[in-house]
Amino acid sequence: MSTRSSRSMVTFANAFVLPGYSDELAAGEYEIVVEEELLQSLSFEAFRRTATYSVVHGKGSQIGRTEQRPITEKDLETALRRDRRIDPD
């Protein structure tokens, strides 16, 4: 089975939380990793998303620690929409 990963960056103007995690994340840029697998038995190439992760770099006493936190595409979109609503610009 063939898999692929893609990376993108999202920016939060305000502190935010993601469902399933108790800590508040600071405003700033966050890397998003999407993993997909090739769908077999099709006459054309198509991929299905299998996982989405937010990469969180430690701050303060956690500097040097990096986590890949599993999230859903829906939770990420909801957090970004919420951030745009609170953004003072």
Side-chain angles (χ1 to χ4, degrees):
M1 183 172 315
S2 296
T3 60
R4 69 181 182 186
S5 294
S6 60
R7 296 175 185 278
S8 61
M9 300 298 285
V10 295
T11 302
F12 285 90
N14 304 283
F16 65 102
V17 294
L18 292 170
Y21 301 98
S22 60
D23 57 332
E24 183 176 74
L25 298 171
E29 272 195 338
Y30 288 84
E31 183 178 12
I32 303 300
V33 177
V34 174
E35 293 183 353
E36 299 170 306
E37 67 183 5
L38 180 65
L39 297 175
Q40 303 292 327
S41 305
L42 295 177
S43 59
F44 56 92
E45 189 175 85
F47 286 82
R48 175 181 58 202
R49 183 182 299 233
T50 57
T52 304
Y53 300 97
S54 175
V55 179
V56 178
H57 297 282
K59 297 191 189 273
S61 66
Q62 299 295 318
I63 271 199
R65 180 177 176 189
T66 301
E67 290 182 70
Q68 261 192 218
R69 293 182 176 186
I71 58 171
T72 67
E73 185 178 13
K74 181 181 175 186
D75 288 343
L76 176 61
E77 288 301 319
T78 299
L80 288 166
R81 266 196 312 279
R82 195 174 295 132
D83 186 61
R84 285 191 291 271
R85 280 198 306 263
I86 347 178
D87 192 0
D89 293 338

